[in-house]
Amino acid sequence: MSDWLTAMDNDAQASVLVTVALVEGSGPREAGAKMRVTTRGQIDTIGGGHLELRAVEIAKTMLVTGETHARLERFALGPSLGQCCGGVVYLVFEAVDASLGAVLSALRERRQQDSWRLTALDGAPASALFDAMGRLIAGTGEQAPSTFARERGTHVAQDGSGRRWLVDPCLAPRAHLTLFGAGHVGAAIVRALADLPCNITWVDEREDMFPAYMPDNVRIAATDTPEEFVAMAPPGGSFLVMTHSHALDQRLTEAIMARDDAGWFGLIGSQTKRKQFEHRLQARGVPDERIAAMVCPIGMPGIRNKAPAVIAASVACQLLMVWEEAAAAALAAPLRLVTASTPPRRKKRAANHPL
């Protein structure tokens, strides 16, 4: 989740949640983008520019006047705000009261599970959070519609009485990377992906290689049998192999190739290493099309610097392209609900590496 949710864990400071509810034409951010506004400033962004400036002004006015009802405001970016995007953006403003605060608190605990947040835009203030099965998790659910479109993104809907509701899917990240290797490049990649919408299982047999601080989207696995984590990865998951041992790289590569449902697979190394691995995989009967799909060397074409941070930035761009293409393809497919997250088990772990 973005900072708008995680940066205010205790919700002690009064704030207004601003959500992009609908975008017609071109806009700076997509529907579902959010920011939190306090009297002192803001957390996260809905795209910057004049639109964000006006949104912050409205939110701060709500805080000063004590307004509690949610507001839906329309902004024509070109005619009224002078922004070159030229589209129309609808924003919802919600004062974080006790009900919404309970919803956000529950949402923080459900970041690895699909949730749907509903807020009344007419009538008495009401906010509720539902799980993938339609069960109420938090808030004032007795007022919320019993059914709503779960297959759509963030939108505004009407219930049977004509009352308008913001329907805001808060879905668990679909992108998953299993990263083998806790060396300098592996650590740099974890840092580069720390704030991106993905989950990472980071695997290495050397427990002392993992840093003390771990981003929220990372689960570590200190294990003597890393191949097990190839089998445990979700269907369509991405793999990145960069261990300290070519022999281990080879074993992991063969295990990944054996999975018909494996997603993107990157192997750190040169063209020479790729040729060696190709010959060994062919000798073991791996189909040519599977070998051709292996990405080695890794990173974006044209970037030759070998510094860990540069490799990490390049690989992060590569993975984002893969994941965004997969997300676009998923729009035409039925929604795969994520109702729970099972942390990967580990053969051994250090006390300062809790899951």
Side-chain angles (χ1 to χ4, degrees), residues 179-187 202-212 214 220-226 241-246 248-249 252 268 346-350 352-353:
L179 170 61
F180 296 94
H184 295 297
V185 177
W202 194 9
V203 186
D204 200 294
E205 62 186 8
R206 303 163 296 173
E207 253 178 330
D208 59 346
M209 294 294 292
F210 293 108
M214 204 65 60
I220 64 170
T223 177
D224 295 326
T225 55
V241 173
M242 47 180 59
T243 77
H244 60 291
S245 165
H246 275 213
L248 179 55
D249 285 356
L252 291 169
I268 196 169
R346 295 181 286 176
K347 289 294 184 182
K348 56 184 181 179
R349 62 189 176 118
N352 62 342
H353 295 150

Side-chain angles (χ1 to χ4, degrees), residues 24-89:
E24 296 174 346
S26 178
R29 289 290 304 274
E30 70 287 351
K34 300 174 184 66
M35 68 179 181
R36 295 277 285 276
V37 179
T38 71
T39 55
R40 301 176 184 173
Q42 70 184 77
I43 301 167
D44 224 317
T45 177
I46 56 168
H50 199 181
L51 172 67
E52 186 162 290
L53 178 64
R54 284 287 300 122
V56 169
E57 290 174 348
I58 292 172
K60 287 187 175 182
T61 299
M62 290 177 63
L63 291 170
V64 171
T65 60
E67 184 176 347
T68 58
H69 287 77
R71 296 173 56 174
L72 176 65
E73 300 285 347
R74 178 183 184 274
F75 298 87
L77 300 182
S80 63
L81 299 180
Q83 292 192 212
C84 60
C85 296
V88 176
V89 176

Side-chain angles (χ1 to χ4, degrees), residues 23-324:
V23 179
E24 296 174 346
S26 178
R29 289 290 304 274
E30 70 287 351
K34 300 174 184 66
M35 68 179 181
R36 295 277 285 276
V37 179
T38 71
T39 55
R40 301 176 184 173
Q42 70 184 77
I43 301 167
D44 224 317
T45 177
I46 56 168
H50 199 181
L51 172 67
E52 186 162 290
L53 178 64
R54 284 287 300 122
V56 169
E57 290 174 348
I58 292 172
K60 287 187 175 182
T61 299
M62 290 177 63
L63 291 170
V64 171
T65 60
E67 184 176 347
T68 58
H69 287 77
R71 296 173 56 174
L72 176 65
E73 300 285 347
R74 178 183 184 274
F75 298 87
L77 300 182
S80 63
L81 299 180
Q83 292 192 212
C84 60
C85 296
V88 176
V89 176
Y90 293 79
L91 299 180
V92 170
F93 297 81
E94 304 169 71
V96 181
D97 57 10
S99 176
L100 181 53
V103 165
L104 298 182
S105 179
L107 188 57
R108 277 194 293 270
E109 299 300 320
R110 293 178 52 82
R111 282 176 285 167
Q112 300 306 319
Q113 302 174 60
D114 289 345
S115 306
W116 279 260
R117 189 177 69 87
L118 270 68
T119 292
L121 301 179
D122 304 307
S127 182
L129 188 70
F130 296 90
D131 67 8
M133 306 304 295
R135 294 182 292 248
L136 176 67
I137 301 299
T140 52
E142 65 278 1
Q143 301 180 40
S146 58
T147 59
F148 47 88
R150 297 175 184 274
E151 71 280 1
R152 293 182 60 183
T154 300
H155 63 284
V156 175
Q158 285 186 322
D159 62 19
S161 66
R163 191 181 187 186
R164 296 175 303 168
W165 292 81
L166 171 69
V167 181
D168 184 28
C170 301
L171 306 181
R174 265 48 180 176
H176 184 275
L177 172 68
T178 304
L179 170 61
F180 296 94
H184 295 297
V185 177
I189 288 174
V190 166
R191 291 192 296 270
L193 298 177
D195 295 322
L196 300 184
C198 65
N199 287 314
I200 304 168
T201 301
W202 194 9
V203 186
D204 200 294
E205 62 186 8
R206 303 163 296 173
E207 253 178 330
D208 59 346
M209 294 294 292
F210 293 108
Y213 168 77
M214 204 65 60
D216 289 341
N217 64 341
V218 178
R219 298 293 180 267
I220 64 170
T223 177
D224 295 326
T225 55
E227 293 93 333
E228 289 187 0
F229 287 84
V230 174
M232 292 166 61
S238 303
F239 296 91
L240 192 52
V241 173
M242 47 180 59
T243 77
H244 60 291
S245 165
H246 275 213
L248 179 55
D249 285 356
Q250 179 74 36
R251 298 204 313 269
L252 291 169
T253 296
E254 292 175 10
I256 294 167
M257 291 289 183
R259 282 197 59 167
D260 293 334
D261 61 351
W264 182 91
F265 164 44
L267 171 69
I268 196 169
S270 62
Q271 285 290 350
T272 300
K273 181 177 179 179
R274 181 185 180 94
K275 292 295 183 183
Q276 292 174 348
F277 274 52
E278 284 179 347
H279 291 317
R280 294 170 187 171
L281 293 170
Q282 288 168 348
R284 287 163 174 77
V286 178
D288 289 343
E289 61 270 19
R290 296 284 291 133
I291 298 174
M294 178 178 69
V295 178
C296 180
I298 56 174
M300 300 296 291
I303 299 179
R304 298 179 177 84
N305 191 312
K306 303 300 183 184
V310 176
I311 297 175
S314 181
V315 171
C317 290
Q318 197 170 29
L319 285 168
L320 281 174
M321 292 175 65
V322 171
W323 292 338
E324 289 204 0

